[in-house]
Amino acid sequence: MLLALLLAPFLLLLLYFIVRPKPVTIPIKNRHVFITGGSSGIGLALAHKAVSEGARVSILARSLPKLEEAQKSIRLAHGVDVAIFAADVRDYDAVQRAVNDAGPIDVLVVNQGVFVPQALEKQGLDEIKFMIDVNLMGSFHVIKAALPSMKSRKDRRQPASIALVSSQAGQVGIYGYSAYSASKFGLRGLAEALQQEVISDNIYISLIFPPDTETPAFEEERKIRPELTDIITSSGGLLKADEVASKTLDGIKAGNFSIPLNLEGRMLTIATAGVSPQSSFLMAFLEVALASLARIVSLFFLWSAYRSVAKWHFQKKGA
Amino acid sequence: MVLSLLLLPLLLLLLYFIVRPRPVTIPIKNRHVFITGGSIGIGLAIAEQAAAEGAARISLLARSLDKLEAAKQSIQKAYEKVEVSIFPADVRDYDAVQHAIREAGPIDILVVNHGVYVIQELENQGLDVVKFMIDVNLMGTFNVIKAALPLMKDRKNRGPASIALMSSIAGQVCVYGYAAYSATKFGLRGLAEALQQEVISDDIHLSLIFPPVTETPGLEEAMKTMPEISKIMVGSDMMKAEEIGKITINGIKCGRFSIPCNLLGQMVAIATAGLSPQRSFVMASIEVVFAGVFRFVALLFQWH
């Protein structure tokens, strides 16, 4: 115990020198923030927040009416106009046109996402394909479209950001989320590799891991969610969209690779740190110091989840 | 230090009671093993190992009928007793997959091993190539599992079953050039963690295998277009397909959720244990004790 206390400052010092990528600040004010899935929910909240911090904002989504409504609500709240682009992220040409029309991007927020929770056995392949196409392939489309101009941007000394909105379901697979988790886990593979490829262009990748968030899409999801999914995810917490937006922007500005949004999320992030980058030597220290505790907590979570599964099946058979 | 030594047995005891799902043994002998991507490389090696361990029936699914015929011949020459069925199909074609699985009959061990990999900077990689990997590695896996699951759930007292997914060390750690490939392999893990919770009550057990770079025809193809940086990071320490085949079958028999294939892989598995299930209380204790050390090593790796 004493030994650990003595070692702590040495560890902190060592980590201060070791952490890569090096810490960075990514300004939002007067820069161009491009948000996909920006017409409602978390995306819209992010647009509001970015506008309030002085950014020039573009939002992309499928529905033109919803985009216009979003534009109106931002104009009313902040007196500023955001640029709107109607496109389906599954359509690469449409995405590229929108990205080109929008102009050079400083902060790309890949936030579009769909989720249909269902046990894999019952889930239709069309729904699975929908989630993978929109959440994963769609993200590749957006990044491929934006990357060339981000890499060749005029002021390369100013760091740029590509932020991907994942989910707590992108850190742990949960009953009912096999396809959704597959698509969100995939974003992490993409992000970790991409960070190595774009660091020399002063571009920073961030992955955001929201828990359940109060949005219109979530309201829809709750209606069809399997009971077990409800039971197991209840431990992740529930946040409001604007809380998610604030913390997300803070994380993007700090250039953090992993951005959890509540205490449970932080525990999950420490547990699943794996081989992902960490720019903050303080966070790195916490990750190392709390790793063991995090794994114990994870094992307890799994114990609880599997007990819930067993109990539910037992009750079903009894009834 | 002394305190930790005293705490260790307590930790072991605690974890003995806590680990879920509980440990299980999944026999191979006299059972039906169905392997996608089974005509060459790691898939064929797994088939040969299953035959060596007394599987009654082995079914191979792959695209090329010629390669399937060659594989069937080579297995039957070495292991006379085993019955080998071959099914030419593209995993992207659900109807073809379903047809093959129905013809094959009830499956005890489903090894979803097919995969393609093209390693390149995302900036330079065509979206058609990205789509190819996502369609085959991820969507193709969903197709196979969806087709097999109803029959596997309905198998009437045939003992514990296994669904084993071939991931990769690139599904735990990401390296330059691997954005699309890693995306598909990370995705398999999300699938597996969720699916395990859904099928545990049917006595079906998920496994994820994480081979490092392995000498296979697939690798030869990938090396042709691999960027230099990726080649360097990947290193030259390659494993052989036969070794992976043995390790896979052993891991499936022990019902392990995560199956690494060498020492480095084991360390990476501990570092990336995350929220994955761990049935062995001994392994769980190792994961807990060394979690901090491995995170530190992972951070050093980033620095380097």
Side-chain angles (χ1 to χ4, degrees):
Chain A
M1 188 73 99
L2 196 62
L3 193 69
L5 281 171
L6 285 171
L7 280 176
F10 282 110
L11 183 61
L12 268 161
L13 195 67
L14 183 61
L15 288 172
Y16 177 75
F17 287 107
I18 286 188
V19 287
R20 291 289 185 280
K22 294 215 131 293
V24 72
T25 311
I26 302 179
I28 298 275
K29 194 176 161 90
N30 292 328
R31 303 188 82 207
H32 182 201
V33 179
F34 189 102
I35 305 169
T36 65
S39 65
S40 69
I42 292 175
L44 179 57
L46 276 166
H48 272 276
K49 200 79 188 43
V51 162
S52 74
E53 298 207 10
R56 176 168 77 86
V57 174
S58 302
I59 54 179
L60 180 147
R62 277 175 299 174
S63 151
L64 188 57
K66 280 202 188 145
L67 281 165
E68 286 169 340
E69 229 183 276
Q71 195 179 40
K72 225 161 64 177
S73 87
I74 294 176
R75 196 184 293 136
L76 270 165
H78 308 278
V80 169
D81 260 341
V82 300
I84 61 175
F85 301 93
D88 188 321
V89 293
R90 292 172 290 178
D91 177 351
Y92 178 70
D93 293 329
V95 170
Q96 184 161 61
R97 269 197 306 272
V99 165
N100 289 344
D101 286 346
I105 298 168
D106 300 304
V107 178
L108 178 67
V109 184
V110 188
N111 159 80
Q112 91 282 352
V114 289
F115 37 103
V116 188
Q118 183 58 273
L120 184 59
E121 188 197 7
K122 302 203 173 88
Q123 188 143 61
L125 275 166
D126 53 343
E127 282 177 349
I128 297 172
K129 190 170 179 346
F130 183 46
M131 281 183 270
I132 291 181
D133 279 348
V134 173
N135 301 355
L136 192 52
M137 198 61 210
S139 298
F140 275 102
H141 285 168
V142 174
I143 294 174
K144 279 287 279 178
L147 204 51
S149 65
M150 287 182 85
K151 282 193 156 207
S152 63
R153 66 192 187 284
K154 289 198 180 72
D155 191 0
R156 290 163 62 87
R157 281 165 312 152
Q158 283 241 298
S161 161
I162 297 177
L164 301 154
V165 179
S166 176
S167 164
Q168 281 182 353
Q171 299 177 295
V172 53
I174 303 272
Y175 186 107
Y177 279 143
S178 57
Y180 183 62
S181 286
S183 70
K184 291 304 191 178
F185 267 68
L187 289 185
R188 179 160 162 176
L190 160 56
E192 280 191 22
L194 188 61
Q195 177 67 90
Q196 295 182 20
E197 293 173 24
V198 302
I199 187 73
S200 54
D201 298 287
N202 211 10
I203 301 176
Y204 290 82
I205 311 290
S206 291
L207 269 171
I208 300 108
F209 300 107
D212 286 337
T213 307
E214 282 175 30
T215 65
F218 182 59
E219 286 311 306
E220 281 310 303
E221 192 213 347
R222 291 195 85 161
K223 297 177 186 166
I224 52 173
R225 216 187 215 189
E227 201 185 327
L228 264 172
T229 309
D230 264 334
I231 296 172
I232 299 173
T233 56
S234 61
S235 52
L238 178 67
L239 289 180
K240 293 203 178 311
D242 48 9
E243 291 177 87
V244 170
S246 286
K247 297 204 171 120
T248 298
L249 271 180
D250 285 343
I252 291 175
K253 289 187 308 190
N256 290 335
F257 182 82
S258 300
I259 304 177
L261 303 173
N262 59 5
L263 186 63
E264 298 90 329
R266 202 158 271 297
M267 219 12 157
L268 258 179
T269 301
I270 291 174
T272 58
V275 196
S276 63
Q278 178 54 261
S279 305
S280 151
F281 75 99
L282 277 170
M283 250 340 277
F285 177 74
L286 277 176
E287 284 170 0
V288 171
L290 295 177
S292 296
L293 179 63
R295 184 55 178 160
I296 293 181
V297 171
S298 305
L299 290 164
F300 265 96
F301 166 80
L302 286 166
W303 171 78
S304 163
Y306 279 93
R307 276 190 76 209
S308 300
V309 170
K311 200 166 110 179
W312 186 81
H313 281 288
F314 181 73
Q315 282 169 347
K316 250 183 79 179
K317 281 199 190 118
Chain B
M1 192 72 102
V2 180
L3 190 67
S4 3
L5 281 173
L6 285 172
L7 282 176
L8 194 59
L10 278 168
L11 179 67
L12 276 160
L13 194 68
L14 175 68
L15 291 177
Y16 176 76
F17 286 107
I18 292 281
V19 288
R20 290 286 187 282
R22 295 217 131 289
V24 71
T25 312
I26 302 178
I28 302 281
K29 197 174 161 87
N30 295 330
R31 303 185 88 205
H32 178 203
V33 182
F34 189 106
I35 306 168
T36 68
S39 62
I40 55 173
I42 292 176
L44 179 55
I46 294 173
E48 284 166 346
Q49 187 61 32
E53 302 225 6
R57 266 205 309 136
I58 295 180
S59 298
L60 306 175
L61 183 147
R63 279 176 296 176
S64 151
L65 185 57
D66 290 336
K67 291 196 182 137
L68 282 168
E69 305 263 15
K72 176 172 167 161
Q73 268 179 32
S74 100
I75 298 173
Q76 283 184 317
K77 220 164 85 168
Y79 306 99
E80 284 165 5
K81 287 214 198 118
V82 72
E83 191 190 315
V84 180
S85 313
I86 58 176
F87 302 95
D90 188 321
V91 293
R92 292 172 288 179
D93 179 351
Y94 178 71
D95 292 328
V97 169
Q98 188 174 53
H99 184 76
I101 285 182
R102 285 209 179 128
E103 248 193 82
I107 298 169
D108 300 304
I109 315 239
L110 177 68
V111 184
V112 189
N113 156 82
H114 67 268
V116 288
Y117 52 113
V118 185
I119 309 306
Q120 226 177 350
E121 294 96 338
L122 185 59
E123 191 190 359
N124 299 329
Q125 189 154 69
L127 277 167
D128 54 339
V129 176
V130 172
K131 187 171 175 0
F132 180 49
M133 280 187 273
I134 291 180
D135 280 348
V136 173
N137 299 357
L138 198 49
M139 202 58 215
T141 298
F142 275 106
N143 283 345
V144 173
I145 296 177
K146 276 290 285 177
L149 206 50
L151 289 168
M152 287 182 86
K153 283 197 157 202
D154 200 30
R155 66 195 189 283
K156 298 180 182 29
N157 299 328
R158 287 168 61 100
S162 161
I163 297 178
L165 307 176
M166 187 59 61
S167 177
S168 163
I169 203 163
Q172 299 168 299
V173 181
C174 297
V175 163
Y176 189 104
Y178 278 76
Y181 182 66
S182 285
T184 66
K185 293 306 189 178
F186 266 68
L188 289 186
R189 181 164 161 172
L191 198 193
E193 281 186 13
L195 187 60
Q196 178 66 92
Q197 293 176 16
E198 293 174 21
V199 300
I200 186 72
S201 57
D202 298 287
D203 207 8
I204 300 175
H205 306 276
L206 270 290
S207 290
L208 275 168
I209 303 107
F210 299 104
V213 181
T214 309
E215 266 180 54
T216 64
L219 176 68
E220 272 177 56
E221 258 317 292
M223 295 286 268
K224 293 178 186 166
T225 51
M226 212 185 260
E228 276 310 305
I229 301 183
S230 305
K231 277 190 194 157
I232 295 170
M233 290 185 84
V234 140
S236 53
D237 206 5
M238 276 188 260
M239 288 186 75
K240 296 209 176 307
E242 298 84 73
E243 296 177 89
I244 308 294
K246 289 202 175 88
I247 292 166
T248 300
I249 292 291
N250 275 336
I252 291 174
K253 282 176 8 185
C254 298
R256 285 203 193 107
F257 185 83
S258 299
I259 304 175
C261 299
N262 58 6
L263 184 60
L264 175 67
Q266 183 64 76
M267 299 198 307
V268 172
I270 294 174
T272 59
L275 269 288
S276 278
Q278 178 52 262
R279 296 165 188 257
S280 151
F281 73 100
V282 173
M283 244 348 271
S285 306
I286 296 177
E287 285 170 0
V288 168
V289 169
F290 288 99
V293 173
F294 282 118
R295 179 53 180 159
F296 181 69
V297 173
L299 289 163
L300 269 174
F301 171 74
Q302 298 283 333
W303 170 73
H304 178 68

PDB file of all heavy atoms in Angstrom, chain B residues 45-62:
ATOM      1  N   ALA B  45      -7.533 -25.830 -41.787  1.00  0.00           N
ATOM      2  CA  ALA B  45      -6.768 -26.340 -40.643  1.00  0.00           C
ATOM      3  C   ALA B  45      -7.705 -26.717 -39.496  1.00  0.00           C
ATOM      4  O   ALA B  45      -7.504 -27.724 -38.812  1.00  0.00           O
ATOM      5  CB  ALA B  45      -5.763 -25.292 -40.178  1.00  0.00           C
ATOM      6  N   ILE B  46      -8.748 -25.911 -39.289  1.00  0.00           N
ATOM      7  CA  ILE B  46      -9.720 -26.219 -38.234  1.00  0.00           C
ATOM      8  C   ILE B  46     -10.455 -27.513 -38.576  1.00  0.00           C
ATOM      9  O   ILE B  46     -10.668 -28.372 -37.704  1.00  0.00           O
ATOM     10  CB  ILE B  46     -10.728 -25.063 -38.060  1.00  0.00           C
ATOM     11  CG1 ILE B  46     -10.005 -23.819 -37.540  1.00  0.00           C
ATOM     12  CG2 ILE B  46     -11.849 -25.454 -37.104  1.00  0.00           C
ATOM     13  CD1 ILE B  46     -10.880 -22.585 -37.486  1.00  0.00           C
ATOM     14  N   ALA B  47     -10.813 -27.663 -39.835  1.00  0.00           N
ATOM     15  CA  ALA B  47     -11.514 -28.877 -40.268  1.00  0.00           C
ATOM     16  C   ALA B  47     -10.650 -30.106 -40.006  1.00  0.00           C
ATOM     17  O   ALA B  47     -11.129 -31.127 -39.497  1.00  0.00           O
ATOM     18  CB  ALA B  47     -11.862 -28.772 -41.753  1.00  0.00           C
ATOM     19  N   GLU B  48      -9.366 -29.999 -40.363  1.00  0.00           N
ATOM     20  CA  GLU B  48      -8.466 -31.138 -40.170  1.00  0.00           C
ATOM     21  C   GLU B  48      -8.320 -31.467 -38.694  1.00  0.00           C
ATOM     22  O   GLU B  48      -8.319 -32.642 -38.302  1.00  0.00           O
ATOM     23  CB  GLU B  48      -7.100 -30.831 -40.801  1.00  0.00           C
ATOM     24  CG  GLU B  48      -7.163 -30.953 -42.321  1.00  0.00           C
ATOM     25  CD  GLU B  48      -5.954 -30.354 -43.037  1.00  0.00           C
ATOM     26  OE1 GLU B  48      -5.192 -29.606 -42.395  1.00  0.00           O
ATOM     27  OE2 GLU B  48      -5.811 -30.645 -44.234  1.00  0.00           O
ATOM     28  N   GLN B  49      -8.235 -30.451 -37.858  1.00  0.00           N
ATOM     29  CA  GLN B  49      -8.111 -30.704 -36.424  1.00  0.00           C
ATOM     30  C   GLN B  49      -9.375 -31.344 -35.879  1.00  0.00           C
ATOM     31  O   GLN B  49      -9.325 -32.235 -35.030  1.00  0.00           O
ATOM     32  CB  GLN B  49      -7.797 -29.388 -35.690  1.00  0.00           C
ATOM     33  CG  GLN B  49      -7.477 -29.560 -34.229  1.00  0.00           C
ATOM     34  CD  GLN B  49      -6.252 -30.417 -33.986  1.00  0.00           C
ATOM     35  OE1 GLN B  49      -5.300 -30.439 -34.776  1.00  0.00           O
ATOM     36  NE2 GLN B  49      -6.249 -31.148 -32.884  1.00  0.00           N
ATOM     37  N   ALA B  50     -10.525 -30.865 -36.343  1.00  0.00           N
ATOM     38  CA  ALA B  50     -11.794 -31.445 -35.890  1.00  0.00           C
ATOM     39  C   ALA B  50     -11.864 -32.921 -36.283  1.00  0.00           C
ATOM     40  O   ALA B  50     -12.309 -33.770 -35.505  1.00  0.00           O
ATOM     41  CB  ALA B  50     -12.971 -30.677 -36.477  1.00  0.00           C
ATOM     42  N   ALA B  51     -11.417 -33.229 -37.502  1.00  0.00           N
ATOM     43  CA  ALA B  51     -11.409 -34.616 -37.954  1.00  0.00           C
ATOM     44  C   ALA B  51     -10.486 -35.442 -37.066  1.00  0.00           C
ATOM     45  O   ALA B  51     -10.823 -36.551 -36.648  1.00  0.00           O
ATOM     46  CB  ALA B  51     -10.953 -34.683 -39.409  1.00  0.00           C
ATOM     47  N   ALA B  52      -9.320 -34.881 -36.759  1.00  0.00           N
ATOM     48  CA  ALA B  52      -8.351 -35.578 -35.912  1.00  0.00           C
ATOM     49  C   ALA B  52      -8.939 -35.875 -34.538  1.00  0.00           C
ATOM     50  O   ALA B  52      -8.582 -36.863 -33.895  1.00  0.00           O
ATOM     51  CB  ALA B  52      -7.095 -34.733 -35.767  1.00  0.00           C
ATOM     52  N   GLU B  53      -9.859 -35.007 -34.085  1.00  0.00           N
ATOM     53  CA  GLU B  53     -10.426 -35.202 -32.761  1.00  0.00           C
ATOM     54  C   GLU B  53     -11.710 -36.022 -32.789  1.00  0.00           C
ATOM     55  O   GLU B  53     -12.442 -36.062 -31.813  1.00  0.00           O
ATOM     56  CB  GLU B  53     -10.681 -33.843 -32.113  1.00  0.00           C
ATOM     57  CG  GLU B  53      -9.404 -33.035 -32.022  1.00  0.00           C
ATOM     58  CD  GLU B  53      -9.214 -32.364 -30.700  1.00  0.00           C
ATOM     59  OE1 GLU B  53     -10.026 -32.603 -29.781  1.00  0.00           O
ATOM     60  OE2 GLU B  53      -8.257 -31.582 -30.573  1.00  0.00           O
ATOM     61  N   GLY B  54     -11.984 -36.641 -33.950  1.00  0.00           N
ATOM     62  CA  GLY B  54     -13.090 -37.583 -33.989  1.00  0.00           C
ATOM     63  C   GLY B  54     -14.456 -37.010 -34.303  1.00  0.00           C
ATOM     64  O   GLY B  54     -15.471 -37.631 -33.984  1.00  0.00           O
ATOM     65  N   ALA B  55     -14.503 -35.845 -34.942  1.00  0.00           N
ATOM     66  CA  ALA B  55     -15.809 -35.322 -35.347  1.00  0.00           C
ATOM     67  C   ALA B  55     -16.466 -36.328 -36.277  1.00  0.00           C
ATOM     68  O   ALA B  55     -15.793 -36.953 -37.079  1.00  0.00           O
ATOM     69  CB  ALA B  55     -15.646 -33.974 -36.049  1.00  0.00           C
ATOM     70  N   ALA B  56     -17.777 -36.488 -36.154  1.00  0.00           N
ATOM     71  CA  ALA B  56     -18.470 -37.461 -37.004  1.00  0.00           C
ATOM     72  C   ALA B  56     -18.655 -36.894 -38.398  1.00  0.00           C
ATOM     73  O   ALA B  56     -18.489 -37.578 -39.397  1.00  0.00           O
ATOM     74  CB  ALA B  56     -19.820 -37.805 -36.387  1.00  0.00           C
ATOM     75  N   ARG B  57     -19.032 -35.599 -38.433  1.00  0.00           N
ATOM     76  CA  ARG B  57     -19.307 -34.967 -39.723  1.00  0.00           C
ATOM     77  C   ARG B  57     -18.692 -33.584 -39.768  1.00  0.00           C
ATOM     78  O   ARG B  57     -18.736 -32.846 -38.782  1.00  0.00           O
ATOM     79  CB  ARG B  57     -20.814 -34.832 -39.921  1.00  0.00           C
ATOM     80  CG  ARG B  57     -21.378 -35.993 -40.698  1.00  0.00           C
ATOM     81  CD  ARG B  57     -22.663 -35.654 -41.420  1.00  0.00           C
ATOM     82  NE  ARG B  57     -23.644 -35.040 -40.580  1.00  0.00           N
ATOM     83  CZ  ARG B  57     -24.359 -33.980 -40.948  1.00  0.00           C
ATOM     84  NH1 ARG B  57     -24.191 -33.450 -42.133  1.00  0.00           N
ATOM     85  NH2 ARG B  57     -25.244 -33.474 -40.140  1.00  0.00           N
ATOM     86  N   ILE B  58     -18.114 -33.274 -40.928  1.00  0.00           N
ATOM     87  CA  ILE B  58     -17.584 -31.925 -41.128  1.00  0.00           C
ATOM     88  C   ILE B  58     -18.213 -31.358 -42.388  1.00  0.00           C
ATOM     89  O   ILE B  58     -18.202 -31.998 -43.433  1.00  0.00           O
ATOM     90  CB  ILE B  58     -16.054 -31.946 -41.267  1.00  0.00           C
ATOM     91  CG1 ILE B  58     -15.440 -32.418 -39.952  1.00  0.00           C
ATOM     92  CG2 ILE B  58     -15.530 -30.556 -41.617  1.00  0.00           C
ATOM     93  CD1 ILE B  58     -13.944 -32.492 -39.965  1.00  0.00           C
ATOM     94  N   SER B  59     -18.791 -30.165 -42.275  1.00  0.00           N
ATOM     95  CA  SER B  59     -19.343 -29.498 -43.447  1.00  0.00           C
ATOM     96  C   SER B  59     -18.501 -28.267 -43.736  1.00  0.00           C
ATOM     97  O   SER B  59     -18.176 -27.511 -42.832  1.00  0.00           O
ATOM     98  CB  SER B  59     -20.793 -29.067 -43.186  1.00  0.00           C
ATOM     99  OG  SER B  59     -21.589 -30.188 -42.928  1.00  0.00           O
ATOM    100  N   LEU B  60     -18.170 -28.089 -45.000  1.00  0.00           N
ATOM    101  CA  LEU B  60     -17.375 -26.929 -45.389  1.00  0.00           C
ATOM    102  C   LEU B  60     -18.178 -26.068 -46.335  1.00  0.00           C
ATOM    103  O   LEU B  60     -18.775 -26.568 -47.284  1.00  0.00           O
ATOM    104  CB  LEU B  60     -16.093 -27.367 -46.100  1.00  0.00           C
ATOM    105  CG  LEU B  60     -15.198 -28.369 -45.386  1.00  0.00           C
ATOM    106  CD1 LEU B  60     -14.040 -28.777 -46.296  1.00  0.00           C
ATOM    107  CD2 LEU B  60     -14.656 -27.765 -44.100  1.00  0.00           C
ATOM    108  N   LEU B  61     -18.191 -24.762 -46.060  1.00  0.00           N
ATOM    109  CA  LEU B  61     -18.858 -23.826 -46.962  1.00  0.00           C
ATOM    110  C   LEU B  61     -17.826 -22.832 -47.460  1.00  0.00           C
ATOM    111  O   LEU B  61     -17.041 -22.288 -46.674  1.00  0.00           O
ATOM    112  CB  LEU B  61     -20.000 -23.094 -46.233  1.00  0.00           C
ATOM    113  CG  LEU B  61     -20.844 -22.121 -47.064  1.00  0.00           C
ATOM    114  CD1 LEU B  61     -22.281 -22.109 -46.568  1.00  0.00           C
ATOM    115  CD2 LEU B  61     -20.291 -20.715 -47.032  1.00  0.00           C
ATOM    116  N   ALA B  62     -17.799 -22.601 -48.762  1.00  0.00           N
ATOM    117  CA  ALA B  62     -16.876 -21.621 -49.337  1.00  0.00           C
ATOM    118  C   ALA B  62     -17.383 -21.297 -50.740  1.00  0.00           C
ATOM    119  O   ALA B  62     -18.342 -21.898 -51.213  1.00  0.00           O
ATOM    120  CB  ALA B  62     -15.455 -22.180 -49.383  1.00  0.00           C
TER     121      ALA B  62
END
